[in-house]
Amino acid sequence: MMQLRTLIFTSVILPWLLSSAAKDEYMERGILDSTGNDILHNSNADQAAPPKVDELPTCLLCVCLSGSVYCEEVSPEMSTVPALPKETAYLYARFNKITKISNQDFADMATLKRIDLTGNLIAQIDDGAFSKLSNLEELTLAENKLTKLPTLPTKLVSFNANFNRLTTQGVKATAFKKLTRLAYLYLGNNELTAVPQLPESLHVVHLHNNKILTITDETFCKGNTSHYIRTNMNEVRLDGNPIMLSKHPDSFICLQSLPIGWYN
């Protein structure tokens, strides 16, 4: 009987124990390729590496809800405009590190009605970046580093570029002339030395804290007629400019209220 037990241990149990021990050692050491590299452990290390922000789907980085995309203060930092779902109507990408808007960023986004890029680092916008946005009504580029403006969509109702570095050379005199629906124009805290042509549709125009030195009878009114009244415009801000408004009384004769600014 003892001989039978010894034979069973030697032929069955002992090989199983040795095989189990070898498997444990194999798992601890990993899988080696022909050059001696640990394939298993290297593979796990690659999987653990965090993806880059531009490799993640937009709706994992941002909140996507019923045609609105909220990408505010994204972490890790967002330096470019994300790829948007086709049905996006409202984009809020405030307080990120976006530096440039290219022609491709909104090329296929005709559904967009509102874009808010407040508080980024945008210093450059390709001239055609917004040209295909036929339904865009509100565009906010406040608190960036712009020195000039691109061509703007003609259906804009509100445009805000407060707190940039816009110069008169960078804002064409006719930049807003064809925007026949524009009601709210905010260009405060820039470096403008002149007032661009203002469309008849405007209700509010803010030009405070610039470097405007002069205006003419044509800036807000029509100098060749005293019967013209600008009925839409009810708020003009020119405070914080070096111009003394009391020297230009005929420049406001068509307005229903005097501009806010320096008269003394």
Side-chain angles (χ1 to χ4, degrees), residues 189-261:
N189 293 88
N190 280 283
E191 299 178 15
L192 299 173
T193 57
V195 179
Q197 294 179 26
L198 305 174
E200 291 288 326
S201 55
L202 276 178
H203 289 247
V204 174
V205 56
H206 286 186
L207 293 159
H208 55 288
N209 298 331
N210 276 278
K211 299 179 179 179
I212 298 171
L213 296 168
T214 185
I215 54 177
T216 71
D217 295 351
E218 301 284 341
T219 301
F220 300 101
C221 303
K222 296 179 180 179
N224 58 353
T225 175
S226 59
H227 301 289
Y228 167 71
I229 303 296
R230 194 159 193 160
T231 55
N232 288 331
M233 189 172 288
N234 50 46
E235 184 177 322
V236 178
R237 284 192 62 180
L238 285 165
D239 49 306
N241 284 282
I243 185 173
M244 185 178 291
L245 298 180
S246 59
K247 294 183 177 181
H248 306 274
D250 293 339
S251 297
F252 318 122
I253 196 170
C254 68
L255 301 180
Q256 300 185 86
S257 60
L258 289 175
I260 299 170

Side-chain angles (χ1 to χ4, degrees), residues 81 100-109 112 124-133 150-151:
V81 175
K100 178 183 177 181
I101 309 297
S102 71
N103 288 334
Q104 291 73 38
D105 288 335
F106 302 111
D108 300 316
M109 298 304 304
L112 277 168
Q124 180 181 351
I125 301 178
D126 289 349
D127 194 53
F130 304 118
S131 60
K132 295 183 179 180
L133 302 181
T151 301

